[in-house]
Amino acid sequence: MIPLNKDDICPEFYKEFVSKFEKKVRRYVEKGRIGKKKLRPKVKCFLEYLLSDDNLMSLLNCPANELKPHAEELCKTFDILRLRDREHLAFRQIRRIFVDNTYTTEFPKADFIRALDIKVCPYCNRSFIECIDKNDKSSPIKGQLDHFYSKERYPFLALSRFNLIPCCSDCNGVGGKFTVDADETKLINPYLLEDTNGMKFKMEITKSSFANIEECANSIKILVEETNQSGLEQNIKTFHLQEIYQSHSDVAAEIYLKGKLKMPQIYRQTIIAMLKPIISITEHDFNQLVLGIEDNPKNFKNKPLSKFKADLAKDEMVF
């Protein structure tokens, strides 16, 4: 799990979106309709509440650690928010106002992901989610947004920025969090993580010698463990980290064998000296250039498998 930037400074593009969204909500209230359907009285009452004081911004900009309490308090005050029946008109109206707006061009999805300054999925640290604009001006390549608290259970949180987690399609899909309730399973929101130390990757070797690197890879069992009482055990299970990282046993084998080389400090300094006429590199640069391992946790957010590689490398004393 990789922490997400929880900077309290709200991006300007998001403020602009909130302003446009507020105007849309105000039009619904003034017209008393959503499309061809008359606005249900209790839905109107909830929208009027949001338009008063600073309640809409408070909802959309609610901190990650306050999302659940805030949602529960709103559900107590407005009973329509407790509805779960898709056939109920009030539920459909709330869903249309909040959820449908998430997928329109009005919500700056690409800008939202870019603002978080992360290139790989925070749930698995395996897949790129970086937004890339194509030269032909067609739809950009971008990651997905997971609603940490389900839009089925809490549709009114569908646009709250700390409820939106940029992630890959695997983690957001059927094999990941798609059918999982964050409430019931007590998942940890990436916005609430302070660092990457809440889980650790390890490997077990079932043989002492191998005919080739493939045999070495087949002799490795990957383990993913919760550490520091982080509460991430359920995240590990939900995103099947142990299973998916077992598929990277070949990467683990490379690190294991590099560890057996026991590169002396003099070798490192020799390589650094040889490269000096071209580029001046540090020990950190050496780990990246020669070993292919990122050892700075602050950079894990930009490189796939980086946490995995760093944990194994430290255990095998590669650096």
Side-chain angles (χ1 to χ4, degrees):
M1 289 279 289
I2 307 299
L4 285 175
N5 177 17
K6 50 183 177 290
D7 193 335
D8 289 335
I9 300 174
C10 187
E12 288 302 318
F13 73 83
Y14 191 77
K15 290 180 181 178
E16 184 179 348
F17 167 75
V18 171
S19 177
K20 291 179 180 178
F21 182 66
E22 181 180 359
K23 291 176 182 177
K24 174 178 281 191
V25 171
R26 197 173 297 280
R27 285 198 299 271
Y28 288 145
V29 172
E30 291 172 352
K31 292 181 178 179
R33 311 186 70 83
I34 296 182
K36 297 181 179 180
K37 298 290 184 179
K38 185 177 180 180
L39 195 65
R40 302 299 296 169
K42 290 186 176 182
V43 174
K44 184 178 181 181
C45 182
F46 175 57
L47 297 184
E48 287 174 338
Y49 160 81
L50 292 180
L51 293 173
S52 64
D53 299 325
D54 217 16
N55 292 327
L56 180 59
M57 187 51 136
S58 295
L59 174 64
L60 300 187
N61 206 39
C62 183
N65 63 326
E66 297 176 18
L67 272 171
K68 181 70 184 304
H70 191 52
E72 290 180 338
E73 189 61 33
L74 287 174
C75 286
K76 289 179 183 177
T77 307
F78 302 96
D79 58 2
I80 57 157
L81 301 182
R82 299 196 294 269
L83 292 173
R84 301 289 181 268
D85 184 4
R86 276 175 162 270
E87 300 305 313
H88 198 290
L89 179 57
F91 177 87
R92 294 205 307 272
Q93 289 186 340
I94 290 291
R95 183 180 171 85
R96 179 171 177 179
I97 293 168
F98 289 89
V99 177
D100 292 352
N101 277 291
T102 310
Y103 302 102
T104 66
T105 55
E106 295 173 28
F107 187 81
K109 182 178 176 181
D111 289 337
F112 185 87
I113 296 175
R114 288 192 186 101
L116 291 171
D117 189 28
I118 185 169
K119 294 182 179 180
V120 295
C121 177
Y123 285 138
C124 69
N125 190 221
R126 292 174 71 240
S127 304
F128 280 111
I129 57 170
E130 185 178 14
C131 296
I132 301 172
D133 294 319
K134 300 176 186 175
N135 290 332
D136 61 8
K137 306 300 182 182
S138 59
S139 298
I141 299 169
K142 52 191 172 184
Q144 298 188 1
L145 288 178
D146 167 50
H147 293 81
F148 186 77
Y149 290 114
S150 167
K151 56 182 180 289
E152 298 301 324
R153 187 168 183 176
Y154 300 109
F156 56 93
L157 292 180
L159 296 173
S160 297
R161 68 186 182 109
F162 292 109
N163 192 46
L164 297 173
I165 313 297
C167 63
C168 67
S169 57
D170 289 335
C171 288
N172 197 33
V174 176
K177 186 174 171 291
F178 183 71
T179 58
V180 175
D181 190 308
D183 285 330
E184 296 176 359
T185 54
K186 301 187 184 305
L187 292 180
I188 303 297
N189 189 320
Y191 284 111
L192 298 179
L193 296 177
E194 293 298 328
D195 51 45
T196 61
N197 297 326
M199 64 172 62
K200 181 176 175 58
F201 293 94
K202 296 181 178 180
M203 61 176 158
E204 290 182 353
I205 312 296
T206 60
K207 286 186 178 183
S208 58
S209 61
F210 319 96
N212 51 50
I213 192 169
E214 183 178 354
E215 186 177 329
C216 179
N218 292 334
S219 303
I220 291 176
K221 179 181 179 182
I222 302 298
L223 302 174
V224 190
E225 300 175 353
E226 174 195 336
T227 55
N228 302 325
Q229 297 181 322
S230 64
L232 288 174
E233 182 178 358
Q234 192 56 50
N235 290 62
I236 293 170
K237 292 179 180 177
T238 296
F239 298 107
H240 307 287
L241 297 186
Q242 186 134 338
E243 296 93 325
I244 62 176
Y245 271 93
Q246 185 61 46
S247 69
H248 298 298
S249 61
D250 57 335
V251 176
E254 293 175 13
I255 293 172
Y256 173 76
L257 295 173
K258 285 174 182 176
K260 295 304 176 187
L261 293 175
K262 304 294 182 188
M263 294 179 187
Q265 188 65 21
I266 190 171
Y267 172 77
R268 286 173 167 263
Q269 294 305 320
T270 300
I271 296 298
I272 291 174
M274 290 172 63
L275 286 171
K276 196 168 184 179
I278 305 172
I279 184 173
S280 179
I281 69 170
T282 63
E283 287 280 337
H284 169 73
D285 297 329
F286 178 91
N287 291 334
Q288 288 188 299
L289 180 63
V290 179
L291 301 179
I293 298 170
E294 173 59 66
D295 61 3
N296 186 348
K298 292 182 179 180
N299 295 331
F300 289 169
K301 64 181 181 177
N302 296 323
K303 298 182 179 181
L305 307 182
S306 51
K307 164 69 171 168
F308 172 67
K309 290 181 178 181
D311 282 356
L312 299 187
K314 288 175 184 176
D315 281 352
E316 297 304 317
M317 295 182 289
V318 173
F319 52 73

